[in-house]
Amino acid sequence: MSWLPIIVLAALVFGLAVVLLKLPRSLWMLFGSALLFGLAGYALQGHPGQAGAPATPVTDNAAQTGELMVEARREFYPAGRLPSRFVVTADAFTRRGQHDQAANFLRNAVAENPNDGEAWVALGNALVEHADGQLTAAALFAYSRGEQAAPDNPAPTYFLGLAFLRAGEPGRTLALWRELLEAAPENAEWRAPLAARLDRLETMLGVAEPSAAQQSEK
């Protein structure tokens, strides 16, 4: 880089400081030295033409969790039957990690149709996510109403167990999921995924359900 543009720029800035900012004469020498020192340092080390490195994208964990929760819930309902319009809209907010807005739409869903079991389950999930994984009284009520609305659907029990797991109570999760799997019809589409998740949980916790032979020996 040529020194001439640096000198011209320094002189221009110095003149503006003296004329417009009324810099005291006693500070002229100090200001001029600092100005030249700074510009010279930039001339030696600066790289204004170099392309900037893009920042590493930040993973939105809340949005990822929301997407997984929506997909997991839909496993328990027929693929050809879409949920209500409120649930569809709430799912869009859930996928973006905006669980409080999702809960608001889901409250409208259950107010319009108190027998909408999927809306109750989705509401319970949104409330748990909004509470950072804590099983609140409102979420527990939503799961309970979901079970009342559709007693044959395993979704309320499954997600209640998942909430217990996130709350640090894996024993209650194991009990609920084992009971759910035992009562599951052999041809249920959700049976295999539930069995796989239960098996992973038992492996992580280092426990296993007693076999039929072991139970008969007792």
Side-chain angles (χ1 to χ4, degrees):
M1 178 181 292
S2 174
W3 284 94
L4 181 59
I6 297 177
I7 296 174
V8 172
L9 181 59
L12 178 61
V13 173
F14 184 81
L16 292 175
V18 172
V19 176
L20 297 181
L21 301 180
K22 306 297 182 183
L23 186 69
R25 182 180 295 272
S26 60
L27 298 178
W28 285 9
M29 182 66 70
L30 180 61
F31 179 75
S33 299
L35 187 62
L36 287 176
F37 181 79
L39 291 175
Y42 177 75
L44 294 175
Q45 299 183 11
H47 300 283
Q50 183 173 347
T56 302
V58 178
T59 302
D60 190 342
N61 292 329
Q64 288 186 345
T65 301
E67 178 68 30
L68 293 175
M69 293 295 287
V70 171
E71 292 180 357
R73 191 198 75 235
R74 289 301 301 161
E75 290 179 1
F76 295 96
Y77 297 93
R81 192 194 71 189
L82 293 177
S84 71
R85 66 186 188 283
F86 288 118
V87 176
V88 171
T89 304
D91 284 348
F93 283 104
T94 298
R95 289 185 173 97
R96 294 198 293 267
Q98 299 173 334
H99 303 294
D100 52 341
Q101 290 92 333
N104 290 333
F105 276 94
L106 292 166
R107 290 187 183 98
N108 291 332
V110 296
E112 182 181 69
N113 182 10
N115 294 321
D116 189 342
E118 184 172 4
W120 281 113
V121 172
L123 177 58
N125 292 345
L127 293 172
V128 170
E129 295 302 324
H130 184 54
D132 296 325
Q134 297 300 312
L135 180 59
T136 63
L140 186 59
F141 175 76
Y143 290 137
S144 176
R145 289 297 305 270
E147 187 174 11
Q148 293 176 19
D152 294 332
N153 192 291
T157 303
Y158 172 79
F159 286 105
L160 177 60
L162 185 60
F164 279 131
L165 179 62
R166 297 183 64 184
E169 300 183 63
R172 302 182 73 171
T173 305
L174 286 173
L176 286 173
W177 286 5
R178 284 170 173 171
E179 181 181 354
L180 195 60
L181 185 61
E182 183 179 352
E186 291 294 334
N187 60 347
E189 295 182 359
W190 49 267
R191 181 184 177 91
L194 174 61
R197 291 165 189 167
L198 178 58
D199 183 65
R200 286 197 297 269
L201 179 59
E202 290 174 340
T203 301
M204 290 172 56
L205 297 177
V207 298
E209 187 176 12
S211 63
Q214 291 174 325
Q215 291 178 351
S216 63
E217 293 175 358
K218 294 183 180 180

